[in-house]
Amino acid sequence: MSEVIVVTSGKGGVGKTTTTANLGTGLAAMGKRVALIDTDIGLRNLDVVMGLENRIVYNLVDVVEGKCRIKQALIRDKRYPGLYLMPSAQTRDKTAVTPPQMIKMVQSLREQFDYVLLDCPAGIEQGFQNAIAGADRAFVITTPEVSSIRDADRIIGLLEANEIGRTDLVVNKIKIDMVRRGDMMSVSDVSDILAIPLIGIVPDDENVVIASNQGEPLVGNATLAGRAYTNICMRVLGQEIPFLNFEKRISIWTRVTGIFHRN
Amino acid sequence: MGVLHIFQKKEKDSGKLAKDRLKILLISDRISCSPETMEKLKMDIARVISKYMKVDTGNMEIQITKEEAKNGRVVKSPILYANVPILDLKH
């Protein structure tokens, strides 16, 4: 019953870690048992986005090298009882772990969790191979920019070549105003080009930065991005949720940002 | 639709421009065939056909596409489409 999802993109800075943190937190808020694994060895970030950086004792490399048990490396989230984080090692590099070791670790996590989410590093080297090794399905994150879409296309090809069962698209950092005046590709432009099923649309929302400053994922709150992530979580659970219609929401959006400015 | 439109139109929304650039870029990425190779191929095709009839080489287009499966992703092998306007059938 459990599902292992790798969150990947090819290009850096498009929102893999933010997406992983929010999906994991959202699924846990919906009562699921979730393990988040930061597979970016040497550049660990998921702990910071989750606000759990002060609780790290052991990490992924320690588990793989047999220095500790999986349970010892899993950090329990401060918000939801079913949510755990396996941090990456900061002082090692990608070669410290191999795909067979990842498969073995993911297999044992699978027995204890409903969802295992793997935050993939940027690039297509060994870190990527490690992250996708044990995954059942993948979420490809892209922004509506040429470079990021090109990398996403390459990643989709590699996921296919590695026989990942299912690959879904998340279009992140959409700027509604720019799309409306024709200066940004629309979500349908992006999904037409990449030709994989769309599972999420996340608007460019400054609340994402605020949330990461605070180390609190924004899934579930009333911000546009928070709602977009909640919707993705519900789609992961198999519910049919319509995509947010940003065109109609401009006035509300302005009101929402207005409230934040006043505060 | 064609490659040439991008060069003909000067004023254009940058979003549309990005999409058109990507389409061309991804065709060559996906089949690992560079735009230069495509141009050479086009010229070679034009030369061969010119042996038999007069063609408008300036307005011909070639494109490699992949047929898409219903569930979205590409399954079949790529297809080369050539659009070669004929000026005169007799040579």
Side-chain angles (χ1 to χ4, degrees), chain A residues 21-42:
Chain A
N22 281 288
L23 292 193
T25 307
L27 288 167
M30 292 168 189
K32 299 292 171 187
R33 285 183 59 79
V34 184
L36 305 177
I37 308 178
D38 188 348
T39 67
D40 199 347
I41 301 166

Side-chain angles (χ1 to χ4, degrees), chain A:
Chain A
M1 268 310 280
S2 68
E3 199 165 43
V4 181
I5 308 172
V6 60
V7 179
T8 181
S9 70
K11 191 175 179 296
V14 298
K16 287 179 294 297
T17 303
T18 307
T19 305
T20 309
N22 281 288
L23 292 193
T25 307
L27 288 167
M30 292 168 189
K32 299 292 171 187
R33 285 183 59 79
V34 184
L36 305 177
I37 308 178
D38 188 348
T39 67
D40 199 347
I41 301 166
L43 293 169
R44 102 176 147 210
N45 276 324
L46 186 54
D47 53 332
V48 180
V49 177
M50 296 291 294
L52 299 173
E53 68 272 21
N54 294 329
R55 305 185 180 194
I56 296 175
V57 182
Y58 293 108
N59 61 51
L60 179 112
V61 177
D62 294 328
V63 172
V64 164
E65 291 180 344
K67 288 182 185 160
C68 69
R69 284 172 290 116
I70 288 182
K71 223 171 194 170
Q72 290 175 291
L74 286 170
I75 304 166
R76 196 176 152 170
D77 183 69
K78 47 190 175 188
R79 293 148 289 233
Y80 297 102
L83 182 59
Y84 290 82
L85 168 72
M86 164 105 54
S88 155
Q90 182 68 346
T91 54
R92 302 291 294 272
D93 68 62
K94 297 173 199 312
T95 57
V97 176
T98 63
Q101 290 172 323
M102 285 298 292
I103 293 171
K104 196 178 156 214
M105 193 189 67
V106 165
Q107 284 307 334
S108 63
L109 285 170
R110 206 188 263 280
E111 291 161 16
Q112 306 159 50
F113 292 95
D114 299 316
Y115 290 95
V116 178
L117 302 187
L118 297 139
D119 183 20
C120 181
I124 53 172
E125 299 86 16
Q126 194 178 338
F128 169 75
Q129 296 297 340
N130 284 339
I132 67 167
D136 303 322
R137 62 185 289 195
F139 285 176
V140 175
I141 319 296
T142 188
T143 63
E145 285 167 67
V146 177
S147 53
S148 143
I149 296 167
R150 183 192 202 178
D151 289 359
D153 189 73
R154 181 101 166 83
I155 287 293
I156 292 165
L158 291 170
L159 291 168
E160 267 174 14
N162 284 280
E163 290 170 350
I164 299 294
R166 184 178 165 187
T167 303
D168 293 286
L169 181 67
V170 176
V171 181
N172 194 15
K173 301 190 189 180
I174 275 272
K175 295 186 185 188
I176 305 111
D177 296 349
M178 289 190 75
V179 173
R180 199 178 290 123
R181 64 170 193 259
D183 276 332
M184 182 176 266
M185 276 180 276
S186 67
V187 173
S188 60
D189 287 341
V190 179
S191 67
D192 283 355
I193 287 170
L194 291 174
I196 57 170
L198 183 68
I199 196 162
I201 305 169
V202 184
D204 190 53
D205 186 342
E206 56 183 39
N207 291 300
V208 171
V209 178
I210 296 169
S212 84
N213 291 344
Q214 297 165 336
E216 296 277 347
L218 44 66
V219 64
N221 70 21
T223 62
L224 272 189
R227 290 168 48 202
Y229 284 122
T230 305
N231 287 352
I232 299 174
C233 291
M234 292 197 281
R235 290 183 198 113
V236 171
L237 297 181
Q239 298 173 34
E240 292 268 333
I241 307 291
F243 290 101
L244 292 176
N245 186 352
F246 301 120
E247 306 290 316
K248 281 183 186 167
R249 256 172 236 286
I250 270 299
S251 60
I252 299 167
W253 168 235
T254 319
R255 256 185 279 155
V256 169
T257 48
I259 290 164
F260 276 97
H261 284 310
R262 257 177 272 140
N263 288 349

Side-chain angles (χ1 to χ4, degrees), chain A residues 145-146 149-150 153 156-157 160 181-185 189 192-197, chain B residues 12-16 18-19 21-23 25-26 28-30 68 71-74:
Chain A
E145 285 167 67
V146 177
I149 296 167
R150 183 192 202 178
D153 189 73
I156 292 165
E160 267 174 14
R181 64 170 193 259
D183 276 332
M184 182 176 266
M185 276 180 276
D189 287 341
D192 283 355
I193 287 170
L194 291 174
I196 57 170
Chain B
K12 189 178 213 176
D13 290 338
S14 67
K16 178 87 173 66
K19 191 179 181 184
R21 284 178 63 207
L22 256 171
K23 277 184 178 167
L25 188 63
L26 292 187
S28 50
D29 275 3
R30 284 171 187 173
E68 281 173 13
N71 59 1
R73 209 45 202 174
V74 167

